[in-house]
Amino acid sequence: MVYDGQVAAIRLELRLSHQSDWIKIFDPRDWTIFVPTSETVAQSTAVRIDLDVGGWLVALRGAVVGQRDDPAGVVVALGGTERDKIIYLIGFVRGGLLNLREKRRLPVKLAVTYGAVEGPASTFTKDINEEGVFLFTDRPLPETSQVHMLLNLPDRPEPLSLIGKVSHTIIAADDEPPGMGIVFDLDDAARDQLAEIVRELEAQLHAGKLPTDTVE
C-alpha cells in the first residue's frame, strides 16, 4: 500500500503501449477506468493508478467500483480532482503530442506570487499554456483587472515575470475550486520566451520528469 496524505491507497500500475489503448480502458460516460490486475481489491477501496501512456507518466486517484473476471481486473471511478489530467489525456490520445495552437492547457502545479488587493499573495497554478493561466485563490480579482505574476519554474533559479488581465473568475459558491483565469498581455519577445517555457514543461510532463507534486 502507499499513503496519500493520511489516506491509505492501493497502488496499481497500468502501462499502455499506444495512445489509442486509452479508448479501450476509459469510459467517458461515468469517468471510470478499467485496470487489468490479478489482485483482489475490495469495493470502495481507494487506489492510486500509476499510468504510463507510451512513456508519458501520470498518477490518477479514485475508488474501486467493480470487478471483472475476463480479463481480470478492477473498474475504478476517478475522483473529481483528476478532471484536468483526464481532459489533457483525452487531448493527448486524440492528437498525439500536445498542439499548443488548440489552446489545451498543461495541468501543472507551479508556485506563483501575484499582486492582490491587499498586497503580494502566494498560490499555485491549475493549468497553463502560452495564452494564459488559471490561479487558485479564494479571493479572485475583479474581471479585467491587470495582474503582475512571478511564476516559479522547475530548474530555473529566477521566477518568470508575467503580466495579464483577469478573464474570468470562479467563486467559492461554485462547484469548482475557486480562482481566476488570466490572459497574458505580453510583447512578442516575452510571448516567444513563454512559448518555449511551455514546450519545456510539456516535454518534462511527457517524460515524467516534473516533481511529483506538480503533476499529481
Side-chain angles (χ1 to χ4, degrees), residues 1-13 39-50 59-64 74 76-79 81-82 216:
M1 302 182 77
V2 297
Y3 287 83
D4 179 12
Q6 300 298 317
V7 180
I10 296 292
R11 187 169 184 168
L12 302 173
E13 292 186 354
E39 296 184 38
T40 299
V41 186
Q43 193 89 349
S44 301
T45 298
V47 297
R48 165 178 161 163
I49 304 168
D50 290 335
L60 300 173
R61 293 183 174 84
V64 173
V74 295
V76 176
L78 299 173
T81 56
E82 310 304 273
E216 294 186 356

Side-chain angles (χ1 to χ4, degrees), residues 88 91-92 94-108 127-133 184 190-206:
Y88 183 84
F92 174 68
R94 284 178 177 173
L97 292 177
L98 183 66
N99 181 350
L100 294 173
R101 290 189 176 88
E102 294 183 11
K103 304 299 188 294
R104 292 193 295 270
R105 292 186 172 185
L106 298 177
V108 294
D127 51 46
I128 188 172
N129 67 9
E130 83 280 16
E131 299 292 336
V133 65
F184 295 132
R191 190 172 298 280
D192 289 344
Q193 180 189 21
L194 179 61
E196 178 60 30
I197 288 171
V198 170
R199 284 192 290 269
E200 291 175 4
L201 288 172
E202 182 191 9
Q204 292 179 65
L205 188 65
H206 282 272

Side-chain angles (χ1 to χ4, degrees), residues 31-130:
W31 283 54
T32 56
I33 184 172
F34 174 69
V35 183
T37 179
S38 58
E39 296 184 38
T40 299
V41 186
Q43 193 89 349
S44 301
T45 298
V47 297
R48 165 178 161 163
I49 304 168
D50 290 335
L51 176 64
D52 181 340
V53 186
W56 182 60
L57 309 176
V58 65
L60 300 173
R61 293 183 174 84
V64 173
V65 294
Q67 304 274 346
R68 292 184 189 173
D69 295 326
D70 187 20
V74 295
V75 179
V76 176
L78 299 173
T81 56
E82 310 304 273
R83 178 177 179 274
D84 290 326
K85 284 182 277 188
I86 296 303
I87 290 173
Y88 183 84
L89 265 169
I90 292 171
F92 174 68
V93 301
R94 284 178 177 173
L97 292 177
L98 183 66
N99 181 350
L100 294 173
R101 290 189 176 88
E102 294 183 11
K103 304 299 188 294
R104 292 193 295 270
R105 292 186 172 185
L106 298 177
V108 294
K109 180 181 177 182
L110 303 171
V112 181
T113 300
Y114 70 96
V117 173
E118 65 276 12
S122 297
T123 185
F124 294 94
T125 63
K126 176 184 177 182
D127 51 46
I128 188 172
N129 67 9
E130 83 280 16

Side-chain angles (χ1 to χ4, degrees), residues 13-32:
E13 292 186 354
L14 178 58
R15 291 184 175 87
L16 305 180
S17 59
H18 191 271
Q19 294 99 304
S20 60
D21 292 337
W22 171 255
I23 300 171
K24 302 174 184 177
I25 55 99
F26 175 68
D27 190 338
R29 295 171 298 179
D30 54 8
W31 283 54
T32 56

